Amino acid sequence: MALERTFSIIKPDATARNLTGKVNAMIEAAGLRIVAQKRIRMTRGQAETFYAVHSARPFFGELVDFMTSGPVVVQVLEGEGAVAKYREVMGATDPSKADAGTIRKELALSIGENTVHGSDAPETAAIEIAQFFSGNEIVG
Ligand code: DAT
Ligand code: MG
């Protein structure tokens, strides 16, 4: 499998509970490298663009409210098969269905307040990374 990059967000429920370091430890323990990272407060416009694929879903308004409710940490992760590997480390969207030892099983509060985002494919990872980082902010 090739060296790959994925996009990660440590969501407001996690920054509020001071869990950034714990999430990062789980990322690094899985062999993924954090090659870019910054703490930001997302605007509604940024959140709406980021989750545009979900704009017709009933939870979209709630999702945008949540993602703009506090600071987030946006990250680029690098490693062999990073996209699929980070999805494994995160666990299922609904924490009650996530495997033991995953970030969402161990730390998430609910299907909405689920602690982390990770890209679902290399193509979406490239788009998501470009929304938040310029090339010179990523140091592999
Ligand atoms: P994932 O974040 O695992 O890729 P997704 O892309 O299907 O999941 O959904 C994006 C986010 O939207 C998810 O992390 C939390 C929220 N969400 C998804 N399904 C939801 C639901 N049924 N109720 C409330 N929020 C939901
Ligand atoms: Mg998704």
Side-chain angles (χ1 to χ4, degrees):
M1 212 176 285
L3 198 64
E4 195 171 72
R5 286 177 175 172
T6 192
F7 180 71
S8 163
I9 305 176
I10 302 176
K11 296 186 179 183
D13 68 284
T15 60
R17 290 177 291 145
N18 225 12
L19 293 175
T20 301
K22 195 166 275 188
V23 171
N24 280 348
M26 293 172 84
I27 289 169
E28 292 185 333
L32 292 164
R33 305 181 75 82
I34 301 164
V35 296
Q37 173 168 263
K38 59 189 170 189
R39 181 173 162 108
I40 63 167
R41 181 77 180 253
M42 265 196 206
T43 64
R44 292 193 74 80
Q46 280 177 310
E48 284 165 3
T49 298
F50 184 75
Y51 279 122
V53 67
H54 295 305
S55 60
R57 308 282 285 275
F59 57 81
F60 183 66
E62 200 180 303
L63 177 58
V64 172
D65 287 347
F66 169 59
M67 292 301 291
T68 57
S69 68
V72 300
V73 178
V74 291
Q75 306 175 305
V76 181
L77 311 182
E78 187 177 82
E80 297 288 317
V83 170
K85 183 177 279 186
Y86 190 43
R87 295 293 306 195
E88 275 175 34
V89 173
M90 288 164 53
T93 306
D94 181 347
S96 70
K97 297 185 179 137
D99 289 339
T102 62
I103 293 171
R104 284 168 165 169
K105 184 64 172 190
E106 302 306 321
L107 303 177
L109 300 174
S110 66
I111 192 167
E113 297 191 324
N114 64 1
T115 307
V116 280
H117 165 85
S119 308
D120 57 14
E123 297 73 26
T124 42
I127 293 165
E128 292 173 357
I129 289 168
Q131 191 187 340
F132 291 96
F133 290 98
S134 57
N136 65 4
E137 291 178 304
I138 304 168
V139 184

